Amino acid sequence: MEMSLFNILDILGTIAFAISGALAAMNRRLDLFGIFIIAFVTAIGGGTLRDVLIGQTPVTWMENLLYIYIIALSAIFAIVFRNKLDYLKKSLFLFDTIGLGVFTITGVETGIQNELAPIISIALGGMTGAFGGVIRDILCNEIPVIFRKAEIYATACFIGGFFFVLMYRYDIPMDIIYVVTSLTVIGIRLLAVKYHITLPHFYPTRKKS
Amino acid sequence: MEMSLFNILDILGTIAFAISGALAAMNRRLDLFGIFIIAFVTAIGGGTLRDVLIGQTPVTWMENLLYIYIIALSAIFAIVFRNKLDYLKKSLFLFDTIGLGVFTITGVETGIQNELAPIISIALGGMTGAFGGVIRDILCNEIPVIFRKAEIYATACFIGGFFFVLMYRYDIPMDIIYVVTSLTVIGIRLLAVKYHITLPHFYPTRKKS
Amino acid sequence: MEMSLFNILDILGTIAFAISGALAAMNRRLDLFGIFIIAFVTAIGGGTLRDVLIGQTPVTWMENLLYIYIIALSAIFAIVFRNKLDYLKKSLFLFDTIGLGVFTITGVETGIQNELAPIISIALGGMTGAFGGVIRDILCNEIPVIFRKAEIYATACFIGGFFFVLMYRYDIPMDIIYVVTSLTVIGIRLLAVKYHITLPHFYPTRKKS
């Protein structure tokens, strides 16, 4: 397998999400098996949902063992360096954000390759980027973070996906599209967290019955 | 696209479920993004599960953008009129019930078109009608309402689905089948709620260990 | 349909999981509908996920009504004998473990038949064996037991699946593979519970923020 920029970014994202999943599992005091499963599910959840919804089966990780090995190594890495990684919480946040940016790309591109409408491709991008974390949170019995905190999370994927589709329409070279899209997602997420930019809420004024 | 009775009912159901999802999300204080996602998932969840299980992919909403637009407009409508809609809680219950009735039809019909056994088609009807609400409740971290309250909910779908299959076997015209099936589901649900008809429970007599 | 050893084991597993699901639902005070649904989902959840991920659709239980009938009868049996079954908690644990062993076989074999890599086939075995219980617990709003207690549960499936793949490579007759694999899974689970063998945990030493 020759490694393109796309592959390298994809592997980076897989590593980042696997580590974030393993850390979340250790925080919830899950056992060794739980750690591997949550690492695995966080890393492949988004892509698996995408593949199942468009009918691209067997899903990607079944046909390319590289993902399994990378995730296992990442989980072992997280276990060994679990105390050091804690000090690196900011780096992890960065890795998680990189994963978000990269997986948005794979989602949008899959939609385009399957000749789906631009808006659907963007939705696939957001799903691929954000859904792994949603499953992780549900399995750890928490309200998914992307709903809880009004953080700019999947929203960044959607904006990045929009730029992807726009650039694709104007025949920009793919490598440039990849870089611009992931940097857009990453930049929006970093800026939103730094400056506490959140999405608006709309509460009914009545008391909750 | 010409609009048949089937399409009109399908759109009505989509609107009703999208509004119910958006209201649930606002009640849970989710942000703008969460509101749209929950509205979307409630409206397309049942049909998506149905499509994935029978292998009809890419799933329906990916190939017909009408659903996306209707759901987005419904969510905006729910946000704008969130206080007025609260007074309309009963109308909403009615809309939700209409959705249940209509989506039962689309589920059963899909099963029949795929030449699945009658009992499987009925199950697909119940799944299509009720599963959107199940996902909505899981994402909002609540026990799904259909399990919680012993309400006649999915049960109404199954009874309606049974009539659908029966009428289909006797070559009743489809438009009549649609109307009778949805009215059956809607009627059973309304009567059950009005007269507090619930399903029986079977508790083990022992204390829970 | 002629009944092979494989079919008999498969039916045994379905019965065991359906009963365990029905009992869990009664313990959570769900209504009649909830009991049937949880029984059904526990019995077919693992196989359904497996079928969807590899693209074998419509999923198995849609094309073979035998499963529906067996599950319905098992749920009725659990309801009728709900108090007696309680005394039989140990037998049930045994049945559940039999189900785990048998469904591991169907998962691994499906992977091999679809020419997936050995490690993927083993993962499919673990998924088929353990996922029904995961869904059951999520729908009952509990943290899945396989993550919670550090019990040797899915781990037993993985070890059994490893032996399956190994024996298959050396052309051992299938019936022997079936028996050895299920007995391995069952034996490991029984011994682990009897001698309180658990998987290790790795906690970060910091306080949870």
Side-chain angles (χ1 to χ4, degrees):
Chain A
M1 188 177 77
E2 66 172 322
M3 296 292 280
S4 65
L5 174 63
F6 182 83
N7 295 134
I8 292 167
L9 290 172
D10 193 31
I11 288 169
L12 257 182
T14 303
I15 293 171
F17 275 140
I19 292 177
S20 93
L23 285 174
M26 284 187 279
N27 270 337
R28 297 290 287 187
R29 315 211 145 220
L30 302 185
D31 62 33
L32 186 60
F33 178 77
I35 296 168
F36 274 100
I37 292 295
I38 303 286
F40 186 75
V41 166
T42 308
I44 57 90
T48 299
L49 179 66
R50 177 199 65 214
D51 290 348
V52 165
L53 291 186
I54 65 172
Q56 187 175 286
T57 51
V59 297
T60 308
W61 58 265
M62 288 194 182
E63 310 214 286
N64 187 346
L65 291 183
L66 186 62
Y67 292 100
I68 304 262
Y69 297 139
I70 288 174
I71 294 166
L73 287 175
S74 302
I76 292 169
F77 176 85
I79 291 171
V80 171
F81 294 102
R82 62 189 177 281
N83 293 312
K84 295 238 172 55
L85 279 170
D86 193 51
Y87 295 110
L88 299 174
K89 207 167 187 178
K90 278 184 189 165
S91 330
L92 260 177
F93 167 77
L94 191 63
F95 264 91
D96 185 68
T97 304
I98 291 171
L100 200 69
V102 175
F103 281 7
T104 301
I105 293 171
T106 73
V108 178
E109 179 147 11
T110 303
I112 289 173
Q113 280 169 358
N114 283 269
E115 301 183 352
L116 298 172
I119 198 174
I120 302 294
S121 301
I122 294 171
L124 278 175
M127 199 184 285
T128 308
F131 190 73
V134 171
I135 296 194
R136 178 193 61 207
D137 293 341
I138 289 177
L139 287 180
C140 289
N141 211 22
E142 292 173 9
I143 296 187
V145 64
I146 65 165
F147 301 136
R148 205 168 43 192
K149 285 203 207 158
E151 273 188 18
I152 304 288
Y153 191 84
T155 311
C157 301
F158 280 83
I159 297 171
F162 175 76
F163 283 123
F164 187 121
V165 166
L166 203 71
M167 287 185 284
Y168 186 84
R169 178 159 297 175
Y170 288 100
D171 292 322
I172 310 270
M174 290 313 287
D175 275 3
I176 294 178
I177 295 182
Y178 295 152
V179 172
V180 173
T181 301
S182 19
L183 290 184
T184 303
V185 175
I186 293 167
I188 290 173
R189 172 115 172 97
L190 293 183
L191 288 174
V193 168
K194 185 170 172 59
Y195 294 106
H196 303 288
I197 302 165
T198 57
L199 290 170
H201 288 72
F202 301 94
Y203 303 141
T205 52
R206 67 176 174 105
K207 295 288 171 278
K208 199 180 167 191
S209 58
Chain B
M1 188 177 77
E2 66 172 323
M3 296 292 280
S4 65
L5 173 64
F6 182 82
N7 295 133
I8 293 167
L9 290 172
D10 192 31
I11 288 169
L12 257 182
T14 302
I15 293 171
F17 275 140
I19 292 176
S20 94
L23 285 174
M26 283 187 280
N27 271 336
R28 297 290 286 186
R29 316 211 146 219
L30 301 186
D31 61 35
L32 185 60
F33 177 76
I35 295 168
F36 274 100
I37 292 295
I38 303 286
F40 186 75
V41 166
T42 307
I44 58 92
T48 299
L49 179 66
R50 177 199 64 214
D51 289 349
V52 165
L53 292 187
I54 65 171
Q56 188 175 286
T57 51
V59 297
T60 308
W61 58 265
M62 289 194 181
E63 309 213 287
N64 187 345
L65 290 183
L66 186 63
Y67 292 100
I68 305 262
Y69 297 139
I70 288 173
I71 294 167
L73 287 176
S74 303
I76 292 168
F77 176 85
I79 291 171
V80 171
F81 294 102
R82 62 190 176 280
N83 293 312
K84 294 238 173 53
L85 279 170
D86 193 51
Y87 295 110
L88 300 173
K89 206 166 187 177
K90 277 185 188 165
S91 330
L92 259 177
F93 168 76
L94 191 64
F95 263 90
D96 184 69
T97 303
I98 291 170
L100 200 68
V102 176
F103 281 7
T104 301
I105 293 171
T106 73
V108 178
E109 178 146 13
T110 304
I112 288 173
Q113 279 169 358
N114 282 270
E115 300 183 352
L116 298 172
I119 199 173
I120 302 294
S121 300
I122 294 170
L124 278 175
M127 198 183 285
T128 309
F131 190 72
V134 171
I135 297 194
R136 177 194 62 206
D137 293 341
I138 289 178
L139 287 180
C140 289
N141 211 22
E142 293 173 9
I143 296 187
V145 64
I146 65 165
F147 301 136
R148 206 168 41 194
K149 284 203 209 159
E151 273 188 17
I152 304 289
Y153 192 84
T155 311
C157 302
F158 280 84
I159 297 170
F162 175 76
F163 282 123
F164 187 120
V165 166
L166 203 71
M167 288 184 284
Y168 186 84
R169 180 159 295 175
Y170 288 100
D171 291 322
I172 310 271
M174 290 312 287
D175 275 4
I176 293 177
I177 295 183
Y178 295 152
V179 172
V180 173
T181 301
S182 18
L183 289 185
T184 302
V185 175
I186 293 167
I188 290 173
R189 172 114 172 97
L190 293 183
L191 289 174
V193 169
K194 185 170 172 60
Y195 294 106
H196 303 287
I197 302 165
T198 57
L199 289 169
H201 287 72
F202 301 95
Y203 302 141
T205 52
R206 66 174 175 107
K207 295 287 170 279
K208 199 180 167 189
S209 57
Chain C
M1 188 176 76
E2 65 172 323
M3 296 292 280
S4 66
L5 174 63
F6 182 82
N7 294 133
I8 293 167
L9 289 172
D10 192 32
I11 288 169
L12 257 183
T14 302
I15 292 171
F17 275 140
I19 292 177
S20 93
L23 286 174
M26 284 187 279
N27 270 337
R28 297 291 285 187
R29 316 211 145 222
L30 302 185
D31 60 35
L32 185 59
F33 178 76
I35 296 168
F36 274 101
I37 292 295
I38 302 286
F40 186 75
V41 166
T42 308
I44 58 91
T48 299
L49 179 66
R50 177 199 64 214
D51 290 349
V52 165
L53 292 187
I54 65 172
Q56 187 174 286
T57 50
V59 297
T60 308
W61 58 266
M62 289 193 181
E63 309 214 286
N64 187 345
L65 290 183
L66 186 62
Y67 292 100
I68 304 262
Y69 298 139
I70 289 173
I71 294 166
L73 288 176
S74 302
I76 291 168
F77 175 85
I79 291 171
V80 171
F81 294 102
R82 63 189 176 281
N83 293 312
K84 294 239 172 55
L85 277 170
D86 194 50
Y87 294 109
L88 299 174
K89 206 165 188 179
K90 278 185 189 164
S91 331
L92 259 176
F93 168 76
L94 191 63
F95 263 90
D96 185 69
T97 304
I98 291 170
L100 201 69
V102 176
F103 280 7
T104 300
I105 293 171
T106 73
V108 178
E109 179 146 12
T110 304
I112 289 173
Q113 279 168 359
N114 282 268
E115 300 183 353
L116 298 172
I119 198 173
I120 301 295
S121 300
I122 295 171
L124 279 175
M127 199 183 285
T128 309
F131 190 72
V134 171
I135 297 194
R136 177 194 60 205
D137 293 341
I138 289 178
L139 287 181
C140 290
N141 211 22
E142 293 173 8
I143 296 188
V145 64
I146 65 165
F147 302 137
R148 207 169 41 194
K149 284 203 209 158
E151 273 187 19
I152 304 289
Y153 191 85
T155 312
C157 302
F158 280 84
I159 298 171
F162 175 76
F163 283 124
F164 187 121
V165 166
L166 203 70
M167 289 184 283
Y168 186 84
R169 180 159 296 175
Y170 288 100
D171 291 322
I172 311 272
M174 290 312 287
D175 275 3
I176 294 178
I177 296 182
Y178 294 152
V179 172
V180 174
T181 301
S182 19
L183 289 185
T184 302
V185 175
I186 293 167
I188 290 174
R189 173 117 172 94
L190 293 182
L191 288 174
V193 168
K194 184 170 172 61
Y195 294 107
H196 303 289
I197 302 165
T198 57
L199 289 170
H201 287 73
F202 301 95
Y203 302 141
T205 51
R206 67 176 174 105
K207 296 287 171 279
K208 199 180 168 192
S209 57

PDB file of all heavy atoms in Angstrom, chain B residues 5-23:
ATOM      1  N   LEU B   5     -50.994   9.838  -2.241  1.00  0.00           N
ATOM      2  CA  LEU B   5     -51.465   9.857  -0.857  1.00  0.00           C
ATOM      3  C   LEU B   5     -50.347   9.375   0.072  1.00  0.00           C
ATOM      4  O   LEU B   5     -50.110   9.930   1.145  1.00  0.00           O
ATOM      5  CB  LEU B   5     -52.698   8.948  -0.719  1.00  0.00           C
ATOM      6  CG  LEU B   5     -53.208   8.743   0.705  1.00  0.00           C
ATOM      7  CD1 LEU B   5     -53.684  10.078   1.283  1.00  0.00           C
ATOM      8  CD2 LEU B   5     -54.340   7.725   0.729  1.00  0.00           C
ATOM      9  N   PHE B   6     -49.637   8.337  -0.396  1.00  0.00           N
ATOM     10  CA  PHE B   6     -48.541   7.768   0.385  1.00  0.00           C
ATOM     11  C   PHE B   6     -47.489   8.823   0.699  1.00  0.00           C
ATOM     12  O   PHE B   6     -47.051   8.982   1.836  1.00  0.00           O
ATOM     13  CB  PHE B   6     -47.928   6.609  -0.404  1.00  0.00           C
ATOM     14  CG  PHE B   6     -46.816   5.914   0.314  1.00  0.00           C
ATOM     15  CD1 PHE B   6     -47.086   4.939   1.261  1.00  0.00           C
ATOM     16  CD2 PHE B   6     -45.491   6.224   0.041  1.00  0.00           C
ATOM     17  CE1 PHE B   6     -46.064   4.290   1.928  1.00  0.00           C
ATOM     18  CE2 PHE B   6     -44.462   5.582   0.703  1.00  0.00           C
ATOM     19  CZ  PHE B   6     -44.748   4.612   1.638  1.00  0.00           C
ATOM     20  N   ASN B   7     -47.065   9.581  -0.334  1.00  0.00           N
ATOM     21  CA  ASN B   7     -46.044  10.619  -0.142  1.00  0.00           C
ATOM     22  C   ASN B   7     -46.508  11.683   0.834  1.00  0.00           C
ATOM     23  O   ASN B   7     -45.746  12.150   1.677  1.00  0.00           O
ATOM     24  CB  ASN B   7     -45.699  11.287  -1.480  1.00  0.00           C
ATOM     25  CG  ASN B   7     -45.038  10.329  -2.458  1.00  0.00           C
ATOM     26  OD1 ASN B   7     -45.415  10.281  -3.619  1.00  0.00           O
ATOM     27  ND2 ASN B   7     -44.082   9.544  -1.976  1.00  0.00           N
ATOM     28  N   ILE B   8     -47.773  12.076   0.681  1.00  0.00           N
ATOM     29  CA  ILE B   8     -48.296  13.138   1.544  1.00  0.00           C
ATOM     30  C   ILE B   8     -48.282  12.690   3.000  1.00  0.00           C
ATOM     31  O   ILE B   8     -47.856  13.431   3.891  1.00  0.00           O
ATOM     32  CB  ILE B   8     -49.720  13.533   1.098  1.00  0.00           C
ATOM     33  CG1 ILE B   8     -49.657  14.198  -0.275  1.00  0.00           C
ATOM     34  CG2 ILE B   8     -50.378  14.465   2.119  1.00  0.00           C
ATOM     35  CD1 ILE B   8     -51.002  14.353  -0.952  1.00  0.00           C
ATOM     36  N   LEU B   9     -48.727  11.455   3.248  1.00  0.00           N
ATOM     37  CA  LEU B   9     -48.714  10.931   4.610  1.00  0.00           C
ATOM     38  C   LEU B   9     -47.286  10.844   5.134  1.00  0.00           C
ATOM     39  O   LEU B   9     -47.001  11.176   6.287  1.00  0.00           O
ATOM     40  CB  LEU B   9     -49.374   9.544   4.645  1.00  0.00           C
ATOM     41  CG  LEU B   9     -50.890   9.508   4.427  1.00  0.00           C
ATOM     42  CD1 LEU B   9     -51.384   8.071   4.284  1.00  0.00           C
ATOM     43  CD2 LEU B   9     -51.612  10.198   5.574  1.00  0.00           C
ATOM     44  N   ASP B  10     -46.378  10.384   4.284  1.00  0.00           N
ATOM     45  CA  ASP B  10     -44.979  10.239   4.678  1.00  0.00           C
ATOM     46  C   ASP B  10     -44.393  11.584   5.104  1.00  0.00           C
ATOM     47  O   ASP B  10     -43.687  11.686   6.108  1.00  0.00           O
ATOM     48  CB  ASP B  10     -44.191   9.669   3.490  1.00  0.00           C
ATOM     49  CG  ASP B  10     -42.807   9.211   3.892  1.00  0.00           C
ATOM     50  OD1 ASP B  10     -42.643   8.783   5.052  1.00  0.00           O
ATOM     51  OD2 ASP B  10     -41.892   9.276   3.065  1.00  0.00           O
ATOM     52  N   ILE B  11     -44.713  12.635   4.356  1.00  0.00           N
ATOM     53  CA  ILE B  11     -44.203  13.968   4.681  1.00  0.00           C
ATOM     54  C   ILE B  11     -44.815  14.475   5.987  1.00  0.00           C
ATOM     55  O   ILE B  11     -44.120  15.044   6.838  1.00  0.00           O
ATOM     56  CB  ILE B  11     -44.493  14.934   3.515  1.00  0.00           C
ATOM     57  CG1 ILE B  11     -43.573  14.580   2.344  1.00  0.00           C
ATOM     58  CG2 ILE B  11     -44.295  16.388   3.941  1.00  0.00           C
ATOM     59  CD1 ILE B  11     -43.916  15.262   1.053  1.00  0.00           C
ATOM     60  N   LEU B  12     -46.121  14.239   6.159  1.00  0.00           N
ATOM     61  CA  LEU B  12     -46.777  14.609   7.412  1.00  0.00           C
ATOM     62  C   LEU B  12     -46.082  13.958   8.605  1.00  0.00           C
ATOM     63  O   LEU B  12     -45.806  14.599   9.616  1.00  0.00           O
ATOM     64  CB  LEU B  12     -48.235  14.148   7.396  1.00  0.00           C
ATOM     65  CG  LEU B  12     -49.298  15.199   7.140  1.00  0.00           C
ATOM     66  CD1 LEU B  12     -50.681  14.570   7.216  1.00  0.00           C
ATOM     67  CD2 LEU B  12     -49.171  16.342   8.150  1.00  0.00           C
ATOM     68  N   GLY B  13     -45.787  12.666   8.490  1.00  0.00           N
ATOM     69  CA  GLY B  13     -45.118  11.943   9.578  1.00  0.00           C
ATOM     70  C   GLY B  13     -43.738  12.512   9.856  1.00  0.00           C
ATOM     71  O   GLY B  13     -43.343  12.680  11.022  1.00  0.00           O
ATOM     72  N   THR B  14     -43.013  12.823   8.778  1.00  0.00           N
ATOM     73  CA  THR B  14     -41.674  13.391   8.944  1.00  0.00           C
ATOM     74  C   THR B  14     -41.727  14.710   9.699  1.00  0.00           C
ATOM     75  O   THR B  14     -40.937  14.955  10.617  1.00  0.00           O
ATOM     76  CB  THR B  14     -41.020  13.596   7.556  1.00  0.00           C
ATOM     77  OG1 THR B  14     -40.983  12.337   6.878  1.00  0.00           O
ATOM     78  CG2 THR B  14     -39.616  14.136   7.690  1.00  0.00           C
ATOM     79  N   ILE B  15     -42.672  15.563   9.306  1.00  0.00           N
ATOM     80  CA  ILE B  15     -42.829  16.855   9.990  1.00  0.00           C
ATOM     81  C   ILE B  15     -43.134  16.645  11.468  1.00  0.00           C
ATOM     82  O   ILE B  15     -42.504  17.246  12.351  1.00  0.00           O
ATOM     83  CB  ILE B  15     -43.962  17.678   9.328  1.00  0.00           C
ATOM     84  CG1 ILE B  15     -43.567  18.090   7.907  1.00  0.00           C
ATOM     85  CG2 ILE B  15     -44.303  18.908  10.170  1.00  0.00           C
ATOM     86  CD1 ILE B  15     -44.696  18.710   7.101  1.00  0.00           C
ATOM     87  N   ALA B  16     -44.074  15.753  11.747  1.00  0.00           N
ATOM     88  CA  ALA B  16     -44.500  15.547  13.130  1.00  0.00           C
ATOM     89  C   ALA B  16     -43.346  15.047  13.987  1.00  0.00           C
ATOM     90  O   ALA B  16     -43.095  15.558  15.092  1.00  0.00           O
ATOM     91  CB  ALA B  16     -45.659  14.545  13.162  1.00  0.00           C
ATOM     92  N   PHE B  17     -42.603  14.054  13.500  1.00  0.00           N
ATOM     93  CA  PHE B  17     -41.500  13.503  14.284  1.00  0.00           C
ATOM     94  C   PHE B  17     -40.366  14.511  14.444  1.00  0.00           C
ATOM     95  O   PHE B  17     -39.736  14.592  15.503  1.00  0.00           O
ATOM     96  CB  PHE B  17     -40.978  12.213  13.643  1.00  0.00           C
ATOM     97  CG  PHE B  17     -41.749  10.997  14.055  1.00  0.00           C
ATOM     98  CD1 PHE B  17     -42.056  10.001  13.147  1.00  0.00           C
ATOM     99  CD2 PHE B  17     -42.162  10.827  15.372  1.00  0.00           C
ATOM    100  CE1 PHE B  17     -42.757   8.863  13.530  1.00  0.00           C
ATOM    101  CE2 PHE B  17     -42.871   9.701  15.766  1.00  0.00           C
ATOM    102  CZ  PHE B  17     -43.165   8.721  14.843  1.00  0.00           C
ATOM    103  N   ALA B  18     -40.102  15.312  13.380  1.00  0.00           N
ATOM    104  CA  ALA B  18     -39.045  16.324  13.479  1.00  0.00           C
ATOM    105  C   ALA B  18     -39.394  17.346  14.558  1.00  0.00           C
ATOM    106  O   ALA B  18     -38.546  17.726  15.378  1.00  0.00           O
ATOM    107  CB  ALA B  18     -38.838  17.005  12.127  1.00  0.00           C
ATOM    108  N   ILE B  19     -40.652  17.783  14.576  1.00  0.00           N
ATOM    109  CA  ILE B  19     -41.063  18.751  15.594  1.00  0.00           C
ATOM    110  C   ILE B  19     -40.968  18.143  16.983  1.00  0.00           C
ATOM    111  O   ILE B  19     -40.459  18.765  17.931  1.00  0.00           O
ATOM    112  CB  ILE B  19     -42.500  19.244  15.315  1.00  0.00           C
ATOM    113  CG1 ILE B  19     -42.519  20.093  14.024  1.00  0.00           C
ATOM    114  CG2 ILE B  19     -43.035  20.062  16.488  1.00  0.00           C
ATOM    115  CD1 ILE B  19     -43.899  20.556  13.614  1.00  0.00           C
ATOM    116  N   SER B  20     -41.411  16.905  17.133  1.00  0.00           N
ATOM    117  CA  SER B  20     -41.346  16.270  18.464  1.00  0.00           C
ATOM    118  C   SER B  20     -39.895  16.118  18.913  1.00  0.00           C
ATOM    119  O   SER B  20     -39.585  16.309  20.094  1.00  0.00           O
ATOM    120  CB  SER B  20     -42.080  14.928  18.459  1.00  0.00           C
ATOM    121  OG  SER B  20     -41.222  13.853  18.198  1.00  0.00           O
ATOM    122  N   GLY B  21     -38.998  15.810  17.979  1.00  0.00           N
ATOM    123  CA  GLY B  21     -37.577  15.695  18.328  1.00  0.00           C
ATOM    124  C   GLY B  21     -36.996  17.037  18.749  1.00  0.00           C
ATOM    125  O   GLY B  21     -36.282  17.136  19.756  1.00  0.00           O
ATOM    126  N   ALA B  22     -37.320  18.091  17.986  1.00  0.00           N
ATOM    127  CA  ALA B  22     -36.788  19.422  18.302  1.00  0.00           C
ATOM    128  C   ALA B  22     -37.266  19.878  19.674  1.00  0.00           C
ATOM    129  O   ALA B  22     -36.490  20.441  20.460  1.00  0.00           O
ATOM    130  CB  ALA B  22     -37.213  20.418  17.219  1.00  0.00           C
ATOM    131  N   LEU B  23     -38.539  19.620  19.988  1.00  0.00           N
ATOM    132  CA  LEU B  23     -39.065  20.026  21.296  1.00  0.00           C
ATOM    133  C   LEU B  23     -38.385  19.253  22.417  1.00  0.00           C
ATOM    134  O   LEU B  23     -38.025  19.821  23.459  1.00  0.00           O
ATOM    135  CB  LEU B  23     -40.577  19.808  21.342  1.00  0.00           C
ATOM    136  CG  LEU B  23     -41.402  20.833  20.560  1.00  0.00           C
ATOM    137  CD1 LEU B  23     -42.869  20.430  20.557  1.00  0.00           C
ATOM    138  CD2 LEU B  23     -41.230  22.228  21.149  1.00  0.00           C
TER     139      LEU B  23
END
